[in-house]
Amino acid sequence: MLDVVGLSSRYGRIEVLHDVTMTVSAGHIVALIGANGAGKTTLLRAISGVQPISAGQITFKDKSLNGVKACARVKMGLSQSPEGRQVFAGLSVEDNLRLGGWTKSKADSNTGLQTAYQMFPILYEKKSLPAGSLSGGQQQMLAIARALMSQPDMLLLDEPSMGLSPLLIDQVFEAVCSLRDRGLTIVLVEQNANLALSIADQACVMETGRIVLKGTGSALQADPRVRELYLGDS
Ligand code: ATP
């Protein structure tokens, strides 16, 4: 579904992604793991089109994304749930969701709302409240649900476990797995490497702007170097 080939990206004169090549197959969860500053968020942002690239090719559903604006990529079926959730705190939960469905007709948006509320009933209970009044876990659910309102084929999900209690992390990861079970393709950036690898079909390890290791989630979970560096084995 997604092919990234030889991708580089820079902030000003400093290149932070170097020659990144990865493939994401339809219906898979692909996890990106790596230390802080490895370039995971920058790679997601380059795929969604909010971060410029300086070299390489991105192909999504057999169409080149090079030169395609971020808003057009949403219409093509790509959606991102950003790091730090970035909900519109002063708007109601429902208005946040409706904004996520800006590419859709009113009827599709209404259907999307029903789906979001079925998946996360707490959002229905709080639909008229300001998003800023939700707990961290609820805001994470809102960020994911908002990204799903455009009915994407691929979800780019950045750090869904950040700041959540273990119970809420379980709930969010269950939701992520159920989305994959319904056919959604997901690229998951996650600090909690063990959890990410445990649900990933494929995974990539990033170090200083490069992909240094690729494999199935379970192969990387068993890899001695990954175990030592990212899974806390000594
Ligand atoms: P984290 O888990 O901390 O978010 P990450 O793997 O997602 O890390 P990025 O946030 O993509 O890494 O950062 C990659 C590199 O780019 C880092 O060296 C970071 O300092 C730098 N960087 C990120 N955002 C900017 C920015 N807006 N301006 C300049 N440099 C940036």
Side-chain angles (χ1 to χ4, degrees):
M1 180 170 278
L2 179 80
D3 272 311
V4 174
V5 179
L7 186 94
S8 299
S9 182
R10 50 182 73 225
Y11 292 105
R13 280 188 292 171
I14 304 190
E15 187 172 280
V16 297
L17 290 182
H18 320 286
D19 195 21
V20 170
T21 292
M22 69 183 282
T23 296
V24 179
S25 300
H28 275 186
I29 294 178
V30 175
L32 292 176
I33 63 167
N36 284 344
K40 306 177 296 296
T41 293
T42 305
L43 176 55
L44 280 198
R45 289 166 52 83
I47 296 168
S48 66
V50 288
Q51 166 70 22
I53 64 173
S54 45
Q57 291 289 329
I58 309 176
T59 309
F60 177 61
K61 296 195 296 186
D62 297 326
K63 294 200 177 79
S64 172
L65 292 186
N66 291 49
V68 177
K69 286 185 176 160
C71 53
R73 296 185 196 196
V74 177
K75 291 182 182 163
M76 291 168 73
L78 256 180
S79 190
Q80 180 161 12
S81 172
E83 185 175 19
R85 299 151 203 158
Q86 298 188 29
V87 298
F88 299 101
L91 296 184
S92 70
V93 167
E94 185 149 311
D95 284 346
N96 270 269
L97 290 171
R98 285 200 182 280
L99 275 172
W102 67 273
T103 56
K104 295 288 163 188
S105 66
K106 185 136 197 224
D108 281 350
S109 218
N110 286 340
T111 309
L113 275 182
Q114 300 319 314
T115 310
Y117 291 147
Q118 265 166 18
M119 177 164 253
F120 300 115
I122 190 71
L123 297 183
Y124 181 72
E125 279 173 41
K126 306 216 165 192
K127 64 179 183 167
S128 304
L129 297 180
S133 70
L134 301 185
S135 71
Q138 292 162 358
Q139 287 190 21
Q140 185 60 60
M141 291 171 195
L142 176 57
I144 295 173
R146 181 182 57 184
L148 295 175
M149 286 290 293
S150 61
Q151 298 172 355
D153 298 311
M154 177 176 284
L155 175 66
L156 307 171
L157 188 50
D158 201 347
E159 300 278 9
S161 80
M162 192 192 276
L164 304 193
S165 68
L167 186 69
L168 281 173
I169 291 175
D170 285 350
Q171 278 181 25
V172 168
F173 271 72
E174 269 171 34
V176 172
C177 287
S178 84
L179 289 168
R180 184 245 326 256
D181 295 344
R182 293 183 208 179
L184 189 68
T185 307
I186 297 168
V187 182
L188 170 67
V189 164
E190 182 50 57
Q191 283 293 329
N192 188 332
N194 213 359
L195 193 53
L197 293 179
S198 71
I199 65 164
D201 300 287
Q202 297 286 325
C204 301
V205 179
M206 289 193 77
E207 280 176 11
T208 56
R210 294 177 199 281
I211 292 182
V212 294
L213 205 55
K214 290 180 191 173
T216 62
S218 47
L220 291 195
Q221 251 182 329
D223 184 283
R225 184 153 174 243
V226 173
R227 295 190 71 81
E228 185 188 335
L229 288 176
Y230 301 106
L231 304 180
D233 277 11
S234 49

